[in-house]
Each structure stands twice: as structure tokens, then as C-alpha cells.
Amino acid sequence: MSFVSVNIESGSETPVKLTRRALAKQRTRERVLSAARRLFSERGYEGATIRDIAQAAGMSTGAVFASFSDKSELFDEILTADYEVIYAQMKQAAREGETVADALLGLFGVAYSFHLEQLPLLQASIAVSWTRSDAAEKRARTDIKHLFALITDALERGVQAGELKADVDAKLVAEIAWDVYVANYRRAVYDGWTVENLVAHLREQLKLILAGVRA
Amino acid sequence: MSFVSVNIESGSETPVKLTRRALAKQRTRERVLSAARRLFSERGYEGATIRDIAQAAGMSTGAVFASFSDKSELFDEILTADYEVIYAQMKQAAREGETVADALLGLFGVAYSFHLEQLPLLQASIAVSWTRSDAAEKRARTDIKHLFALITDALERGVQAGELKADVDAKLVAEIAWDVYVANYRRAVYDGWTVENLVAHLREQLKLILAGVRA
């Protein structure tokens, strides 16, 4: 998947034949990730300890630490895997939109559909994003950069199509759209909004945001 | 302060002469709040337990529970006190702005100045806001409602002054401005932005948001 190869900066992932030992290691990682995903969803980031996760995965904490250096790395790994899953879908949805607004609603709609299926994990990830280390923030920004580029691409296609002003600050518009998109999840959490509710609200918000930059 | 009386729905806080016992109780509350504020700032919400807070305040956990039903109530009390402090300043700053953008930059600037002085507490409060109970969210919304009204008031004054379109959806604009204002704190947390940096960035964001609703 292109997202993965962009994300790995050295581009060193040549296909290798996994040895039996490497395969076992990979299976261990997967078991840990699966247990961690479940526990983070159920208890939030702070509420799930490495000890709990090891127990749920049926292994020792030492075995968990052989695969992951700490809880933060484990959590990041889950989120990165999720970004990889939705990136291709968001990209396609953006390309199918005829107008800028449709492209943006398409890509954000994919994200809403995906995250509403696992809302507690999303809540934990947003909460963590406010209190993580600088290193963890840097890793997260690398992931988000690719999603963010889909937004600026859609805006730039709007400029080329003559829909938006030529001098639009695509980065600034994308940032506002992103902030609003994220904040809307609060409505899903506390007001029970569905994907349809979120997309309808975002449509109104984008209409207002784009009004000032139309050609 | 008007903010307080609006906030207390029953409006039952008539001035009473405090008995010695009531005074002692109030001092206990203040000691707990002061210790809690320090620990939440240092360790985050999850990292500070009632036990830690009691110890820092030099009392038993039982004494803390005599004043506060749980950690969440304690945390809310600190934030509500902060809202009360900045509400009057934000209101004044908004009234001093000649244009809508100046009014909004004024009120948000007050908030940035206030919160940057205690950034770890703000980070904890935003993190908590994503994973709290429905009851805690409801209490927080009551607090925020008053700040939010300052934004819609400034927008409505802009309509009256002929600066904004008469049919502007003030609530929608206010919500977008608020979402962007909150998201900007991330720059203070991870990129070391100052109040001046935040206000300058918000100025560009508001220019874009308001561009579509100018008369």
C-alpha cells in the first residue's frame, strides 16, 4: 500500500522470506495488538496497563515488552494500522467528489464511518493526543500528514477547476476543516450523533468555510 | 459575579453569615482545591489520585471525600473557578474590539494568556473532555455556554453594525471559531507557541472564516 511506503522514510521494506522465528514474533505482535485494541477501547488509554494487556493476550509482560518498548508505542501502532486502512478509502472518496465540498465530505465521511464503529478507541486517541510526549506527537503528525495532504489536494483541484480563488491558502483552509471535523466527534460521543448527522453538520460548516475562498 | 449567579440555576446563594464550622469547611475545600490544582498540573488528571491530593493537602482521603464526591467533581470545581476568573476579562476585551475580528481576538487572547500560564492543567482538561461521563459533560457545557455567548454576542453586534450579513448563522460561525481556538493550543503544547503566535494565527483563521459572512 502506497501509504505504508510513504510512511517508512528509508523505503527499506524489501520483501523478505520470514523465518519460523520471525513468523512467531509477528504472531505475538498481532496477539498483543489485538488484546490492546480491545482493552484501550473498553478502559481508555490510562485505564489499560501493559500488565492487563499481557494477561488478555495470554502472555507475560516480558513477552509484550519484547515486541513493544512501552504502552505509548503499542497505542501508536494500533492507530497507525487504522490510518493505513482508511487512507485508501478516503483517497478514493475524495477523488469521486465532483465539487470541493463533495470531495471533502467524502473523505471525512469515510473517517466518520470508520471511527464511529470504534468510538471509545477514537476518544482515547484524541485524549492522549493532548498529553503525549513530543516524540509521540511527532510520530502522530507523520501519520496525519498523509490524510491532511488529501484535503489540500482536494482544495488544489478546486483551484484548478476554477471553483476556488487562485490565491487560496490551502493549508489554512485544510487546517480549519480538520479542526472542525475532529471537534464534531464530540457530538457522536455525548449526543449520540450518527455518521449522517455528522456529515450533514460538516456540510454546513464547510459551506461557511469555503464561502470566503470561492472564485 | 453575574457569571456565578447565572451558573447556579436555582439562584439560591443568598448571603449567609458563616458559622465557625462552615468557615472551617470552606477552608478545607480551598486547601483541597489548591493541592488538586497543583497535582493535576504536574501529573495530569489520571496521574493524580484522591489519595495523592489528600496527602498534598495534609489531610485524610475521608476529609477530601467529605467535601467532594469524587475526583471528577474536584476537577470540575477547579475549571469552573477558572471560567469565573476569565469570563469578566473576556467580556471586557470583546466589548473593546471595534470590529468583529478584533472583538473575537480580544476575548480569545484573554483565554490564551490565562491558559498558557497553566498549560498542563489546560491539556488535562481538554484530554478529560473527551472521555468524561455525560453528567460531567453537561456541567462543562453549562460553563462554556457563557463564554460561547460572548462570541455570538460579538457576531451579532457585527450584524447590527452592518459588518456581517444579516442572515449569518452566528451559532455556526461561533462554533467554528471555538473549535479552531481550542485546536490551536496544540501549537502551544508541542511547538512552544506564545500567546502572540496563537493570536496571530487565529487572526488569519478568523479572517478566512468571516470572509464568507461579510456584508
Side-chain angles (χ1 to χ4, degrees), chain A residues 46 123 126-127 129-132 134 137 141 173 175 179 182-183 186-187 190-191 201 205 208 212, chain B residues 46 123 126-127 129-132 134 137 141 173 175 179 182-183 186-187 190-191 201 204-205 208 212:
Chain A
E46 299 290 345
Q123 290 173 249
I126 299 181
S129 80
W130 281 95
T131 55
R132 62 188 160 207
D134 286 350
E137 170 72 8
R141 286 189 186 182
V173 177
E175 192 185 86
D179 290 347
V182 173
R186 194 178 295 276
R187 302 295 202 152
Y190 298 110
D191 303 293
H201 193 57
Q205 292 167 321
L208 201 149
Chain B
E46 299 290 344
Q123 289 172 250
I126 299 181
S129 79
W130 281 95
T131 55
R132 61 189 163 207
D134 285 349
E137 169 73 7
R141 286 188 187 184
V173 177
E175 192 185 89
D179 291 346
V182 173
R186 194 179 293 278
R187 302 295 201 154
Y190 298 110
D191 303 292
H201 193 58
E204 294 306 309
Q205 292 167 322
L208 200 149

Side-chain angles (χ1 to χ4, degrees), chain B residues 56-128:
Chain B
M59 57 184 74
S60 67
T61 56
V64 172
F65 283 121
S67 295
F68 300 93
S69 63
D70 58 21
K71 192 164 79 166
S72 144
E73 193 197 326
L74 189 43
F75 193 61
D76 286 350
E77 194 93 358
I78 293 170
L79 301 185
T80 301
D82 285 352
Y83 283 126
E84 287 173 16
V85 169
I86 60 172
Y87 175 78
Q89 291 178 43
M90 285 174 74
K91 187 170 183 173
Q92 197 188 334
R95 297 217 163 252
E96 284 169 1
E98 286 189 19
T99 62
V100 171
D102 286 345
L104 296 182
L105 284 170
L107 72 88
F108 285 127
V110 165
Y112 281 142
S113 298
F114 181 85
H115 291 302
L116 254 61
E117 288 293 314
Q118 45 179 7
L119 199 50
L121 191 70
L122 178 91
Q123 289 172 250
S125 80
I126 299 181
V128 162

Side-chain angles (χ1 to χ4, degrees), chain A residues 132-195:
Chain A
R132 62 188 160 207
S133 68
D134 286 350
E137 170 72 8
K138 202 174 161 189
R139 285 197 300 274
R141 286 189 186 182
T142 303
D143 283 342
I144 287 174
K145 197 169 62 182
H146 305 291
L147 304 187
F148 202 80
L150 293 179
I151 308 172
T152 49
D153 285 354
L155 293 167
E156 274 152 19
R157 284 200 303 279
V159 171
Q160 279 151 25
E163 194 186 335
L164 303 184
K165 285 180 190 165
D167 67 347
V168 60
D169 185 340
K171 213 182 135 197
L172 189 69
V173 177
E175 192 185 86
I176 296 171
W178 179 270
D179 290 347
V180 160
Y181 147 75
V182 173
N184 286 344
Y185 279 110
R186 194 178 295 276
R187 302 295 202 152
V189 175
Y190 298 110
D191 303 293
W193 281 22
T194 62
V195 173

Side-chain angles (χ1 to χ4, degrees), chain A residues 38-141:
Chain A
R38 184 161 55 76
L39 288 189
F40 287 137
S41 297
E42 285 171 13
R43 308 180 189 179
Y45 179 75
E46 299 290 345
T49 65
I50 287 279
R51 197 179 188 150
D52 298 335
I53 292 164
Q55 195 170 21
M59 56 184 77
S60 67
T61 56
V64 172
F65 282 122
S67 295
F68 300 94
S69 62
D70 58 23
K71 191 164 80 166
S72 146
E73 193 197 325
L74 190 45
F75 192 61
D76 286 350
E77 193 93 358
I78 293 169
L79 301 184
T80 301
D82 284 352
Y83 283 127
E84 288 172 16
V85 169
I86 60 172
Y87 176 79
Q89 290 177 44
M90 286 174 74
K91 186 169 181 172
Q92 196 189 334
R95 298 218 161 250
E96 284 169 0
E98 283 188 19
T99 64
V100 171
D102 286 345
L104 297 181
L105 285 169
L107 71 89
F108 285 127
V110 166
Y112 282 142
S113 298
F114 182 84
H115 290 302
L116 254 62
E117 288 293 313
Q118 45 179 7
L119 199 50
L121 191 70
L122 180 90
Q123 290 173 249
S125 80
I126 299 181
V128 163
S129 80
W130 281 95
T131 55
R132 62 188 160 207
S133 68
D134 286 350
E137 170 72 8
K138 202 174 161 189
R139 285 197 300 274
R141 286 189 186 182

